[in-house]
Amino acid sequence: MVSSHKRELTLTAAGLSLIAVTYGLARYAYGLFAPTLRTEFDLDGGALGAIAAGSYVAYCLAVVVSTAVTTRWGSRTGALAAGTAATAGTALIAAAPNAAVLALGVVLAGASTGLASPSLADAVSRVVRVTRRDRAQSVVNAGTGLGVLVSGPVSLLAIGDWRLAWWAFAAASALVTLWIARVVPPVKEDRARGLPVPLFPPAIGRLLPAAATLGLASAAIWTFGRDIAVSVGGLGETESTVVWIVLGAVGLAGAFTAALTSRAGLRRAWSAGMVLFALATALFALATRSFPALVIAAALFGAVYIGLTGVLILWGTRAYPTAPAFGVGVAFLMLALGQAAGAPLIGLLGDLIDLRAGFLAAAAVAVLGVLFAPKEATTTYNFGVRSLSRVSTVPPERESRVGCA
């Protein structure tokens, strides 16, 4: 029992670390360095947004690949591919001699996140016991906050040499990849593999558009959050980086998503989260010149974004219990499609009007996302040889709290 518990904790820690280097460093650090990259490679807002969109498109493709790879060869293969892509992508960014190579590195780094999420969701579902599974999924997902938190101080230490920071990210990614190789178990045959997967369970009708609206709305801060603080708000290098560090630090609160969701239910958690998300994004636009206000906005955004992606993971794994990688994959695919559409649109609005207009538009999209909150208790399907029966994914005594009130 002790060894099993230790195995679960080790897997959770390694998974959190992989999410930290893929999401927090390889993918979202692009937004942290956007002002520097804008100057270094002579990029306008549209170009910055287009490169970010390329990263999101790569993420979409990687989610599909990871879902297929994990189903066929197991979670270790997908997780190792994620770590390798993060290492190669961050190294390319560090060595980029021009904008084309920079874009290639950003795209490869972005792909690492799509490879990571489905494979880790699958690994946790197969290794961690049911009573601890939701909590473990939430803790692993909170790795984004850890990575963002780490990227801030590294960027400050590397002031004047941004490439050094990206070489450090590449080194961290390589070390985590080696850890993943030791911790994530190889594929094992079990009864869940090979069972039919329903393509359109009831939950999917709201899960997909909900994920898309979160993606579109989040593109504003993830791509241009620090850029708006510098170019519009006039914040200096240190102040704008502190805003980013706060975003990541408070994002670690996303580890409590499972506990909060079990109490409030998916519907309330999603609805409240999207309203707060809209508030944080609007505050970035309306109080851009106030450092304290931006710190508050960043803290709110960090906690709520990680929490909402945690809700998507729980929602997806419950919708597809026999194929958790598929459930998380489709949710995060729509999340990334929303981000791919949002980044260039917000950048274009910034060039034509003002970045604040793009942020307010993103806040409006977040409010619309409330409309897609789940209406019913999320249910799954129990596949038998002869029949298909609908069953609840939670114990009877908790069912009223895990779904719609």
Side-chain angles (χ1 to χ4, degrees), residues 371-388:
L371 299 176
F372 302 112
K375 279 189 173 180
E376 301 175 352
T378 301
T379 55
T380 58
Y381 288 87
N382 179 30
F383 293 96
V385 176
R386 296 183 179 180
S387 64
L388 184 68

Side-chain angles (χ1 to χ4, degrees), residues 282-301:
L283 193 56
F284 256 85
L286 300 176
T288 309
R289 298 184 182 278
S290 171
F291 175 64
L294 283 181
V295 169
I296 293 172
L300 184 59
F301 174 86

Side-chain angles (χ1 to χ4, degrees), residues 89-397:
T90 50
L92 264 180
I93 294 172
N98 52 53
V101 177
L102 170 70
L104 179 61
V106 171
V107 167
L108 186 56
S112 71
T113 53
L115 294 167
S117 291
S119 57
L120 288 177
D122 182 82
V124 170
S125 293
R126 300 190 186 285
V127 172
V128 180
R129 69 194 67 184
V130 175
T131 55
R132 297 173 179 167
R133 193 170 295 159
D134 282 358
R135 182 181 300 173
Q137 296 281 20
S138 297
V139 170
V140 168
N141 186 57
T144 300
L146 176 62
V148 172
L149 171 62
V150 169
S151 67
V154 172
S155 71
L156 288 177
L157 291 173
I159 287 180
D161 189 359
W162 64 271
R163 295 179 187 273
L164 181 62
W166 284 92
W167 282 122
F169 297 162
S173 299
L175 290 174
V176 170
T177 303
L178 292 175
W179 190 15
I180 286 294
R182 291 177 57 88
V183 171
V184 178
V187 62
K188 288 184 178 180
E189 292 298 327
D190 55 37
R191 289 181 297 173
R193 295 191 187 279
L195 287 176
V197 178
L199 293 181
F200 302 104
I204 206 70
R206 288 180 169 267
L207 173 60
L208 297 187
T213 55
L214 176 60
L216 203 158
S218 68
I221 291 179
W222 281 129
T223 307
F224 300 101
R226 184 161 179 256
D227 193 34
I228 195 174
V230 173
S231 62
V232 178
L235 266 62
E237 181 89 20
T238 301
E239 287 179 316
S240 59
T241 302
V242 167
V243 170
W244 196 264
I245 292 172
V246 169
L247 189 159
V250 182
L252 289 171
F256 299 101
T257 299
L260 293 175
T261 302
S262 69
R263 293 174 183 275
L266 285 176
R267 180 179 176 81
R268 289 195 185 98
W270 180 264
S271 299
M274 290 302 278
V275 171
L276 292 174
F277 191 88
L279 177 62
T281 306
L283 193 56
F284 256 85
L286 300 176
T288 309
R289 298 184 182 278
S290 171
F291 175 64
L294 283 181
V295 169
I296 293 172
L300 184 59
F301 174 86
V304 174
Y305 178 81
I306 304 303
L308 286 171
T309 54
V311 170
L312 288 181
I313 289 175
L314 299 181
W315 197 347
T317 54
R318 289 171 184 173
Y320 295 92
T322 62
F326 188 84
V328 173
V330 294
F332 277 53
L333 173 62
M334 295 306 297
L335 177 75
L337 285 173
Q339 290 173 324
L345 288 175
I346 293 166
L348 183 61
L349 278 174
D351 291 337
L352 295 177
I353 307 174
D354 188 286
L355 267 179
R356 287 172 289 192
F359 274 62
L360 290 176
V365 170
V367 173
L368 290 176
V370 174
L371 299 176
F372 302 112
K375 279 189 173 180
E376 301 175 352
T378 301
T379 55
T380 58
Y381 288 87
N382 179 30
F383 293 96
V385 176
R386 296 183 179 180
S387 64
L388 184 68
S389 59
R390 197 178 187 201
V391 296
S392 173
T393 58
V394 292
E397 66 272 14

Side-chain angles (χ1 to χ4, degrees), residues 41-111:
F41 296 100
D42 192 24
L43 304 171
D44 58 18
L48 281 172
I51 292 174
S55 171
Y56 298 139
V57 171
Y59 175 91
C60 295
L61 297 175
V63 164
V64 175
V65 171
S66 180
T67 302
V69 165
T70 300
T71 302
R72 177 66 180 85
W73 290 294
S75 48
R76 174 188 280 180
T77 302
L80 286 177
T84 301
T87 303
T90 50
L92 264 180
I93 294 172
N98 52 53
V101 177
L102 170 70
L104 179 61
V106 171
V107 167
L108 186 56

